[in-house]
Amino acid sequence: GKITNVTRLVYAYKELRQIVDEIWGKDERKHYHKPNILGPASTGKSETANLVAELGPSLQYVSYHKYHGGGKDPKLTEYARDPSFYSHPVKLSGPGEAVKKMTNNSALWIGEGAMAYNSGRQGVTDSFLGSLWFTNLLGALAKTKPIAHSVYCRQALLGGYYELISHETLIPNPDYWVAYLWKTIVGSKAIGPIHSPQRADSLKLSSRFTFGCCERPSRDSVLIHSFCAKSHGDVVFVVINISE
């Protein structure tokens, strides 16, 4: 039959798994650190699920790429001000469901991601407006079920307009400081769902519903995440206000 690029990729990962198991399975190497395998760096929910179904036992870390808009889209600024553009954990849980079902407890990563592909958009993805979206995304990824995302690899440190450090001035953009503070202060354990003070029943509903204001999910302009802090016994509240 026809050998596709996907088939070649599956064969390559399985062969790599066999090589690693063979080399590090020898007696003289049993005390060495055995390499872990990361992949498949796929894009899209269905492609990721299909590849994980084939590669699940071969991977310790499942990674995929995730962008939420296009840098050349003139409406990106408008989207970044719209509560519906702010990700809810339910919308990001598809890959985790595949990982839970088809792997041996693999960790879940976004290996490459940003608000917008095509190098982002100047004045949005390198701005304070973009940092509100980025902050909520970090919180939402930590709350996905049945498996939370443990790593988010931001595109990019330097280059384009989704960069963390400006390639023109070498001054950190707002998202750099979001990432720095998150890494420094916020622990790995999320507490409860995303809450909103805009609805009285926010604390009583499950995470599938607390994100939206009254009508449906993705309608709140004030979002609150809570986490155990890295300092023992403390709690971090992350409050995001995207209202005018």
Side-chain angles (χ1 to χ4, degrees):
K2 182 179 179 181
I3 303 298
T4 65
N5 288 335
V6 171
T7 304
R8 290 193 180 96
L9 179 65
V10 170
Y11 285 160
Y13 268 101
K14 290 183 177 180
E15 184 176 7
L16 177 60
R17 176 78 274 162
Q18 291 174 355
I19 292 171
V20 170
D21 289 344
E22 180 180 349
I23 293 176
W24 274 265
K26 296 177 180 179
D27 290 339
E28 65 270 20
R29 289 186 173 269
K30 283 186 176 179
H31 298 293
Y32 287 74
H33 178 70
K34 185 177 180 179
N36 291 318
I37 297 179
L38 168 72
S42 52
T43 58
K45 180 179 178 179
S46 60
E47 180 181 276
T48 300
N50 291 337
L51 284 171
V52 171
E54 293 287 342
L55 297 172
S58 301
L59 303 172
Q60 280 78 47
Y61 300 95
V62 172
S63 71
Y64 68 101
H65 295 186
K66 179 67 175 177
Y67 292 88
H68 303 255
K72 295 181 180 180
D73 188 340
K75 292 186 177 182
L76 189 64
T77 303
E78 180 182 332
Y79 297 155
R81 297 180 184 277
D82 187 339
S84 66
F85 193 62
Y86 284 64
S87 296
H88 183 275
V90 170
K91 295 181 179 180
L92 298 166
S93 292
E97 293 169 357
V99 169
K100 179 71 173 180
K101 182 179 179 180
M102 302 170 186
T103 72
N104 298 321
N105 297 317
S106 298
L108 180 60
W109 294 15
I110 290 184
E112 177 185 317
M115 178 191 286
Y117 52 86
N118 288 137
S119 295
R121 188 172 185 86
Q122 188 174 20
V124 182
T125 53
D126 59 351
S127 71
F128 178 73
L129 176 60
S131 71
L132 298 177
W133 175 90
F134 182 44
T135 302
N136 178 72
L137 179 69
L138 294 178
L141 289 173
K143 299 170 186 284
T144 55
K145 295 181 179 180
I147 295 177
H149 290 69
S150 56
V151 171
Y152 180 82
C153 300
R154 174 60 184 266
Q155 176 83 333
L157 179 63
L158 197 69
Y161 289 105
Y162 42 28
E163 60 195 357
L164 296 177
I165 298 175
S166 171
H167 64 277
E168 297 172 342
T169 65
L170 296 183
I171 295 174
N173 287 325
D175 280 3
Y176 173 91
W177 297 111
V178 170
Y180 175 81
L181 288 172
W182 199 280
K183 184 70 174 178
T184 303
I185 299 173
V186 179
S188 59
K189 183 178 180 180
I191 303 174
I194 302 173
H195 300 304
S196 171
Q198 292 168 292
R199 53 187 302 173
D201 58 355
S202 180
L203 292 173
K204 299 179 182 179
L205 298 177
S206 72
S207 61
R208 190 174 293 273
F209 299 103
T210 54
F211 196 70
C213 177
C214 303
E215 298 177 13
R216 60 185 185 277
S218 302
R219 286 300 167 197
D220 279 336
S221 57
V222 179
L223 309 169
I224 303 173
H225 297 269
S226 54
F227 289 86
C228 290
K230 286 195 171 180
S231 55
H232 181 69
D234 292 333
V235 175
V236 175
F237 290 95
V238 181
V239 182
I240 304 159
N241 186 352
I242 59 173
S243 64
E244 295 293 335

